[in-house]
Amino acid sequence: ESLLQSAQLPTRPPSQMDPEVFIQHMRRDKKVKDKCIRLVLLKKIGQAMLTSDYEPVFLQDTISFSLSGKEL
């Protein structure tokens, strides 16, 4: 987080963004294929995978949790 702050990049989403707004923006990403949002997930540090094998409700729940400000 401090690295992002030192580069003057945001570390929190805009307060007016809700999960559906995030998903609308994600639908415009270059990784979308056949109208399906593909996610880049880390298997471990230095090893990422691209997948569309997830339940859309889990994506929305994950975004909602992230916006809530709660910690795991």
Side-chain angles (χ1 to χ4, degrees), residues 8-48:
Q8 299 181 343
L9 294 171
T11 58
R12 302 283 182 258
S15 59
Q16 70 273 17
M17 291 203 45
D18 62 31
E20 190 53 42
V21 173
F22 267 95
I23 291 172
Q24 287 172 9
H25 287 289
M26 292 172 76
R27 290 190 189 286
R28 294 188 210 128
D29 189 85
K30 65 184 176 189
K31 291 179 291 302
V32 171
K33 184 175 184 182
D34 299 326
K35 297 185 180 181
C36 187
I37 298 170
R38 297 187 296 168
L39 304 175
V40 177
L41 304 176
L42 289 179
K43 287 184 172 184
K44 60 183 183 179
I45 294 178
Q47 186 177 2

Side-chain angles (χ1 to χ4, degrees), residues 1 9-10 12-13 15 24 26 36 46 52 55-57 61-62 68 70-72:
E1 188 172 329
L9 294 171
R12 302 283 182 258
S15 59
Q24 287 172 9
M26 292 172 76
C36 187
S52 58
E55 293 294 326
V57 68
D61 288 349
T62 300
S68 75
K70 296 177 185 174
E71 294 193 23
L72 293 175

